[in-house]
Amino acid sequence: MLHEVVPEGGLRPGSVTVVEGSPALALALTAGLEERWCAVVGLPEAHIPAAASMGGDPMRVLLVDDPGRRWADVVAALTDGCALVLTRPPDRPAPQVVRRLTALARRNGCALVVTGPWEGANLRLRVEEGRWSGLGTGTGHLRGRRALVVSSGRGAAGPGRRVWLWLPAPDGTVAPATEIPEAIPETPSRAPVAVAG
């Protein structure tokens, strides 16, 4: 589902990916792990049923809503045993913490996905624009969200790729957005929260 922005549609073991502007996109990266485990650390708003509709297995997700002051130690421990760790640092991590966790992810073959500041990531994914469909002039139901996803970095499927995706589609999945639906542009005051906070 993410082949257009992520090489081979999945994250390379031992890589670090930064996701900006969309908890839904970060959760979509947890799909396709099959019987492998993933962990979500420091994102209490993560909506696991939404991740399940995108193809994730909620029975193989470890949740650590509030790791406290030992955030880095919790993430470090989870890289050993999880195929993917999705996390949001509580603050900008110090360079030595970034180096340590990057090295542990590489050594343990764990894909590390960060929704915050991180230097030296292999891949950066950013939602540059989003539009919800289904709402009329104050009436209707949200059906889906079209998002313009931009990928960059050494691990990108192509330099500076820009792809429209349904995030989520009307059925809750992630899919290429081939048609422009009737939509309303997102604004900070009106953007609805539909997937993951």
Side-chain angles (χ1 to χ4, degrees):
M1 72 181 119
L2 294 173
H3 287 76
E4 295 295 323
V5 289
V6 179
E8 301 176 9
L11 300 178
R12 188 165 45 85
S15 65
V16 178
T17 301
V18 170
V19 177
E20 301 172 1
S22 177
L25 178 58
L27 281 175
L29 296 174
T30 68
L33 293 175
E34 298 172 350
E35 296 186 2
R36 295 170 293 168
W37 287 86
C38 75
V40 179
V41 181
L43 286 99
E45 72 277 16
H47 195 260
I48 302 307
S53 72
M54 297 180 208
D57 182 352
M59 301 303 291
R60 292 195 170 267
V61 178
L62 302 171
L63 297 174
V64 184
D65 288 346
D66 183 7
R69 292 178 297 177
R70 303 203 58 191
W71 166 81
D73 293 331
V74 171
V75 172
L78 289 168
T79 63
D80 185 11
C82 289
L84 184 147
V85 174
L86 167 58
T87 186
R88 179 175 57 215
D91 300 297
R92 177 177 288 277
Q96 62 268 27
V97 172
V98 170
R99 287 193 298 271
R100 173 187 171 218
L101 294 180
T102 299
L104 284 171
R106 186 166 38 249
R107 186 181 78 194
N108 294 326
C110 173
L112 185 60
V113 178
V114 182
T115 64
W118 197 272
E119 295 299 323
N122 304 89
L123 175 64
R124 290 186 179 275
L125 300 175
R126 181 179 80 255
V127 171
E128 194 168 271
E129 184 179 345
R131 296 183 181 184
W132 288 95
S133 66
L135 287 181
T137 54
T139 62
H141 298 280
L142 292 175
R143 290 196 310 258
R145 178 184 183 227
R146 249 177 111 243
L148 178 59
V149 179
V150 180
S151 65
S152 60
R154 301 184 306 274
R161 289 200 62 138
R162 300 161 59 86
V163 178
W164 281 99
L165 297 175
W166 280 106
L167 192 65
D171 63 358
T173 62
V174 177
T178 54
E179 298 179 10
I180 300 176
E182 181 181 340
I184 55 170
E186 291 181 7
T187 62
S189 60
R190 294 178 62 188
V193 177
V195 177

